[in-house]
PDB file of all heavy atoms in Angstrom:
ATOM      1  N   HIS A 112       0.179  -2.985  -9.678  1.00 96.00           N
ATOM      2  CA  HIS A 112      -0.113  -2.165  -8.505  1.00 96.00           C
ATOM      3  C   HIS A 112       1.022  -2.212  -7.466  1.00 96.00           C
ATOM      4  O   HIS A 112       1.317  -1.201  -6.812  1.00 96.00           O
ATOM      5  CB  HIS A 112      -1.423  -2.679  -7.889  1.00 96.00           C
ATOM      6  CG  HIS A 112      -1.892  -1.911  -6.712  1.00 96.00           C
ATOM      7  ND1 HIS A 112      -2.619  -0.749  -6.805  1.00 96.00           N
ATOM      8  CD2 HIS A 112      -1.740  -2.122  -5.383  1.00 96.00           C
ATOM      9  CE1 HIS A 112      -2.896  -0.294  -5.606  1.00 96.00           C
ATOM     10  NE2 HIS A 112      -2.365  -1.107  -4.715  1.00 96.00           N
ATOM     11  N   HIS A 116       3.423   0.764  -6.034  1.00 97.00           N
ATOM     12  CA  HIS A 116       3.684   1.181  -4.646  1.00 97.00           C
ATOM     13  C   HIS A 116       5.179   1.450  -4.457  1.00 97.00           C
ATOM     14  O   HIS A 116       5.558   2.430  -3.812  1.00 97.00           O
ATOM     15  CB  HIS A 116       3.219   0.104  -3.659  1.00 97.00           C
ATOM     16  CG  HIS A 116       1.791   0.284  -3.207  1.00 97.00           C
ATOM     17  ND1 HIS A 116       1.331   1.437  -2.595  1.00 97.00           N
ATOM     18  CD2 HIS A 116       0.725  -0.549  -3.262  1.00 97.00           C
ATOM     19  CE1 HIS A 116       0.048   1.300  -2.300  1.00 97.00           C
ATOM     20  NE2 HIS A 116      -0.353   0.112  -2.702  1.00 97.00           N
ATOM     21  N   SER A 137       1.033  -3.567   2.458  1.00 91.00           N
ATOM     22  CA  SER A 137      -0.281  -3.019   2.107  1.00 91.00           C
ATOM     23  C   SER A 137      -1.370  -3.892   2.714  1.00 91.00           C
ATOM     24  O   SER A 137      -1.087  -4.823   3.468  1.00 91.00           O
ATOM     25  CB  SER A 137      -0.423  -2.928   0.587  1.00 91.00           C
ATOM     26  OG  SER A 137      -0.598  -4.215   0.054  1.00 91.00           O
ATOM     27  N   GLY A 138      -2.615  -3.579   2.353  1.00 89.00           N
ATOM     28  CA  GLY A 138      -3.724  -4.363   2.882  1.00 89.00           C
ATOM     29  C   GLY A 138      -3.737  -5.782   2.335  1.00 89.00           C
ATOM     30  O   GLY A 138      -4.240  -6.698   2.967  1.00 89.00           O
ATOM     31  N   GLY A 139      -3.182  -5.976   1.159  1.00 89.00           N
ATOM     32  CA  GLY A 139      -3.230  -7.284   0.517  1.00 89.00           C
ATOM     33  C   GLY A 139      -1.879  -7.972   0.399  1.00 89.00           C
ATOM     34  O   GLY A 139      -1.824  -9.154   0.081  1.00 89.00           O
ATOM     35  N   GLY A 164      -1.215  -5.493   6.627  1.00 94.00           N
ATOM     36  CA  GLY A 164      -2.372  -4.594   6.707  1.00 94.00           C
ATOM     37  C   GLY A 164      -3.621  -5.331   7.179  1.00 94.00           C
ATOM     38  O   GLY A 164      -4.430  -4.803   7.949  1.00 94.00           O
ATOM     39  N   ASP A 168      -6.059  -4.638  10.256  1.00 94.00           N
ATOM     40  CA  ASP A 168      -7.497  -4.425  10.045  1.00 94.00           C
ATOM     41  C   ASP A 168      -8.343  -5.474  10.774  1.00 94.00           C
ATOM     42  O   ASP A 168      -9.374  -5.152  11.372  1.00 94.00           O
ATOM     43  CB  ASP A 168      -7.826  -4.427   8.548  1.00 94.00           C
ATOM     44  CG  ASP A 168      -7.114  -3.299   7.803  1.00 94.00           C
ATOM     45  OD1 ASP A 168      -6.650  -2.357   8.465  1.00 94.00           O
ATOM     46  OD2 ASP A 168      -7.004  -3.360   6.567  1.00 94.00           O
ATOM     47  N   GLY A 181      -7.598  -0.243  10.545  1.00 91.00           N
ATOM     48  CA  GLY A 181      -6.132  -0.113  10.612  1.00 91.00           C
ATOM     49  C   GLY A 181      -5.682   1.255  11.133  1.00 91.00           C
ATOM     50  O   GLY A 181      -4.923   1.334  12.109  1.00 91.00           O
ATOM     51  N   PRO A 182      -6.167   2.347  10.528  1.00 93.00           N
ATOM     52  CA  PRO A 182      -5.744   3.671  10.997  1.00 93.00           C
ATOM     53  C   PRO A 182      -6.157   3.936  12.451  1.00 93.00           C
ATOM     54  O   PRO A 182      -5.460   4.666  13.172  1.00 93.00           O
ATOM     55  CB  PRO A 182      -6.481   4.634  10.055  1.00 93.00           C
ATOM     56  CG  PRO A 182      -6.758   3.830   8.827  1.00 93.00           C
ATOM     57  CD  PRO A 182      -6.955   2.424   9.289  1.00 93.00           C
ATOM     58  N   GLY A 271       3.499   1.228   0.498  1.00 96.00           N
ATOM     59  CA  GLY A 271       2.213   0.556   0.750  1.00 96.00           C
ATOM     60  C   GLY A 271       1.438   1.259   1.848  1.00 96.00           C
ATOM     61  O   GLY A 271       1.999   2.039   2.630  1.00 96.00           O
ATOM     62  N   GLY A 272       0.148   0.965   1.900  1.00 94.00           N
ATOM     63  CA  GLY A 272      -0.754   1.672   2.821  1.00 94.00           C
ATOM     64  C   GLY A 272      -0.351   1.631   4.282  1.00 94.00           C
ATOM     65  O   GLY A 272      -0.565   2.611   5.017  1.00 94.00           O
ATOM     66  N   VAL A 273       0.258   0.529   4.707  1.00 96.00           N
ATOM     67  CA  VAL A 273       0.632   0.417   6.130  1.00 96.00           C
ATOM     68  C   VAL A 273       1.748   1.406   6.471  1.00 96.00           C
ATOM     69  O   VAL A 273       1.933   1.768   7.639  1.00 96.00           O
ATOM     70  CB  VAL A 273       1.013  -1.052   6.466  1.00 96.00           C
ATOM     71  CG1 VAL A 273       1.400  -1.218   7.921  1.00 96.00           C
ATOM     72  CG2 VAL A 273      -0.150  -1.992   6.137  1.00 96.00           C
ATOM     73  N   ALA A 275       1.597   4.338   6.091  1.00 95.00           N
ATOM     74  CA  ALA A 275       0.956   5.555   6.620  1.00 95.00           C
ATOM     75  C   ALA A 275       1.010   5.548   8.152  1.00 95.00           C
ATOM     76  O   ALA A 275       0.761   6.572   8.790  1.00 95.00           O
ATOM     77  CB  ALA A 275      -0.489   5.638   6.146  1.00 95.00           C
ATOM     78  N   LYS A 276       1.318   4.437   8.748  1.00 94.00           N
ATOM     79  CA  LYS A 276       1.322   4.354  10.226  1.00 94.00           C
ATOM     80  C   LYS A 276       2.508   5.109  10.804  1.00 94.00           C
ATOM     81  O   LYS A 276       3.659   4.839  10.457  1.00 94.00           O
ATOM     82  CB  LYS A 276       1.382   2.894  10.684  1.00 94.00           C
ATOM     83  CG  LYS A 276       0.091   2.192  10.375  1.00 94.00           C
ATOM     84  CD  LYS A 276      -0.062   0.898  11.108  1.00 94.00           C
ATOM     85  CE  LYS A 276      -1.257   0.156  10.556  1.00 94.00           C
ATOM     86  NZ  LYS A 276      -2.515   0.879  10.669  1.00 94.00           N
ATOM     87  N   PHE A 299       2.758  11.107   2.862  1.00 95.00           N
ATOM     88  CA  PHE A 299       1.550  10.441   3.327  1.00 95.00           C
ATOM     89  C   PHE A 299       0.575  10.156   2.167  1.00 95.00           C
ATOM     90  O   PHE A 299       0.045   9.051   2.046  1.00 95.00           O
ATOM     91  CB  PHE A 299       0.896  11.321   4.393  1.00 95.00           C
ATOM     92  CG  PHE A 299      -0.171  10.626   5.164  1.00 95.00           C
ATOM     93  CD1 PHE A 299       0.148   9.744   6.187  1.00 95.00           C
ATOM     94  CD2 PHE A 299      -1.507  10.831   4.858  1.00 95.00           C
ATOM     95  CE1 PHE A 299      -0.846   9.079   6.891  1.00 95.00           C
ATOM     96  CE2 PHE A 299      -2.505  10.175   5.552  1.00 95.00           C
ATOM     97  CZ  PHE A 299      -2.173   9.303   6.569  1.00 95.00           C
ATOM     98  N   THR A 303      -1.006   5.258   0.751  1.00 95.00           N
ATOM     99  CA  THR A 303      -2.188   4.432   0.455  1.00 95.00           C
ATOM    100  C   THR A 303      -2.443   4.487  -1.061  1.00 95.00           C
ATOM    101  O   THR A 303      -1.755   5.211  -1.784  1.00 95.00           O
ATOM    102  CB  THR A 303      -3.417   4.949   1.231  1.00 95.00           C
ATOM    103  OG1 THR A 303      -3.485   6.340   1.034  1.00 95.00           O
ATOM    104  CG2 THR A 303      -3.301   4.658   2.712  1.00 95.00           C
ATOM    105  N   ASP A 304      -3.431   3.729  -1.522  1.00 96.00           N
ATOM    106  CA  ASP A 304      -3.654   3.641  -2.958  1.00 96.00           C
ATOM    107  C   ASP A 304      -3.870   5.033  -3.566  1.00 96.00           C
ATOM    108  O   ASP A 304      -4.661   5.825  -3.053  1.00 96.00           O
ATOM    109  CB  ASP A 304      -4.864   2.740  -3.236  1.00 96.00           C
ATOM    110  CG  ASP A 304      -4.525   1.294  -2.921  1.00 96.00           C
ATOM    111  OD1 ASP A 304      -3.330   0.980  -2.750  1.00 96.00           O
ATOM    112  OD2 ASP A 304      -5.453   0.468  -2.853  1.00 96.00           O
TER     113      ASP A 304
HETATM  114  O1  KG4 B   1      -1.913   0.008   0.011  1.00 71.60           O
HETATM  115  P1  KG4 B   1      -3.272   0.085   0.592  1.00 71.60           P
HETATM  116  O2  KG4 B   1      -3.930   1.437   0.633  1.00 71.60           O
HETATM  117  O3  KG4 B   1      -4.254  -0.892  -0.139  1.00 71.60           O
HETATM  118  C1  KG4 B   1      -3.851  -2.091  -0.681  1.00 71.60           C
HETATM  119  O4  KG4 B   1      -3.244  -2.085  -1.778  1.00 71.60           O
HETATM  120  O5  KG4 B   1      -4.056  -3.104   0.005  1.00 71.60           O
HETATM  121  O6  KG4 B   1      -3.164  -0.517   2.085  1.00 71.60           O
HETATM  122  C2  KG4 B   1      -4.253  -0.626   2.936  1.00 71.60           C
HETATM  123  C3  KG4 B   1      -3.735  -0.800   4.366  1.00 71.60           C
HETATM  124  C4  KG4 B   1      -4.854  -1.085   5.347  1.00 71.60           C
HETATM  125  O7  KG4 B   1      -4.782  -2.446   5.659  1.00 71.60           O
HETATM  126  C5  KG4 B   1      -4.588  -0.203   6.573  1.00 71.60           C
HETATM  127  O8  KG4 B   1      -4.221  -1.003   7.681  1.00 71.60           O
HETATM  128  C6  KG4 B   1      -3.409   0.667   6.185  1.00 71.60           C
HETATM  129  O9  KG4 B   1      -3.099   0.382   4.835  1.00 71.60           O
HETATM  130  N1  KG4 B   1      -3.739   2.102   6.265  1.00 71.60           N
HETATM  131  C7  KG4 B   1      -3.419   2.953   7.258  1.00 71.60           C
HETATM  132  C8  KG4 B   1      -3.909   4.233   6.883  1.00 71.60           C
HETATM  133  N2  KG4 B   1      -4.537   4.096   5.702  1.00 71.60           N
HETATM  134  C9  KG4 B   1      -4.412   2.790   5.324  1.00 71.60           C
HETATM  135  N3  KG4 B   1      -2.779   2.775   8.397  1.00 71.60           N
HETATM  136  C10 KG4 B   1      -2.608   3.869   9.182  1.00 71.60           C
HETATM  137  N4  KG4 B   1      -3.037   5.093   8.919  1.00 71.60           N
HETATM  138  C11 KG4 B   1      -3.700   5.327   7.778  1.00 71.60           C
HETATM  139  N5  KG4 B   1      -4.142   6.549   7.516  1.00 71.60           N
END
Side-chain angles (χ1 to χ4, degrees):
H112 182 83
H116 270 303
S137 73
D168 298 343
V273 180
K276 290 195 190 301
F299 193 79
T303 48
D304 290 346

